[in-house]
Structure formats: structure tokens, C-alpha cells
Amino acid sequence: MRLHLSHSFLICLLLAGPAQAGDPERGRELHRENCINCHASMKSGIYGEDGTGIYVRENRRIETLEALYTQVRRCKTSLGAPWPESQIEDVVNYLNQNFYKFEE
């Protein structure tokens, strides 16, 4: 019975998707320190001076919270940022609260 309950709990966690418990203020700082320069320089600055236009563009590619997590992880890897999962959650929370507005 004990094994069955732990498997049920694990399945529930997996089905729940990414939990959004990050600190948006810390995420804002991490974003400012790590992401703005790259986004602002993309396509000759069409995403604005601070690069946040990439999040609100008409043809944005991120359409779910799970996809946002995937993209933040991809950018983290490209930057070589040593972010633990908690900082990824911070950045995702900041981006979601300020730009994407996906339901949690």
C-alpha cells in the first residue's frame, strides 16, 4: 500500500506541471542582469531598448507556461548562467506575471 501511495503522489506531481513558486522580484533582477543585453541586440534592436518587446510581439512562440520554462532553461544554457532550478522559477514567475499571464 505504501508503494502505491508514493507512486500516486509522484504521478500527481508530474501531471500538475511546473509549479510556479518563484520570486518575481529576484527574477526581474536576474532578467535585467542576464537577458536584456541579448534580447535588446536581437534583430537590430526591434525588441526595444530593454529587449522586453520579444515577449509581447505578435508572433511570439511561447504559448504555455511549460513552454516558458523550456525557453528560460534554453536561454540559461546559452548564456552559461549557473542558475539552479529556483532561479529559473524566479525568472519564469517574473516573465509570466509581467508579460505572458498564463494561468498557474
Side-chain angles (χ1 to χ4, degrees):
M1 180 71 160
R2 189 179 197 138
L3 183 61
H4 178 70
L5 288 175
S6 63
H7 282 172
S8 296
F9 178 72
L10 239 166
I11 290 169
C12 287
L13 283 176
L14 291 172
L15 291 175
Q20 199 169 3
D23 178 347
E25 282 305 308
R26 191 169 40 189
R28 182 181 62 77
E29 277 302 306
L30 289 165
H31 180 267
R32 185 184 60 74
E33 293 168 2
N34 295 276
C35 308
I36 288 175
N37 288 337
C38 182
H39 289 188
S41 69
M42 295 172 85
K43 296 194 180 183
S44 303
I46 64 169
Y47 298 125
E49 187 175 313
D50 67 357
T52 58
I54 198 168
Y55 308 125
V56 295
R57 65 187 176 182
E58 188 174 310
N59 63 339
R60 72 180 185 193
R61 297 179 184 151
I62 307 302
E63 297 181 3
T64 66
L65 188 57
E66 186 176 331
L68 182 56
Y69 270 93
T70 299
Q71 185 60 44
V72 169
R73 286 185 183 104
R74 191 175 297 133
C75 289
K76 166 205 149 350
T77 300
S78 293
L79 285 169
W83 296 347
E85 190 64 24
S86 63
Q87 289 180 320
I88 291 169
E89 290 176 3
D90 296 339
V91 174
V92 167
N93 195 298
Y94 162 72
L95 293 173
N96 192 41
Q97 282 187 9
N98 291 281
F99 303 102
Y100 290 96
K101 315 285 189 206
F102 297 127
E103 293 196 27
E104 300 175 33

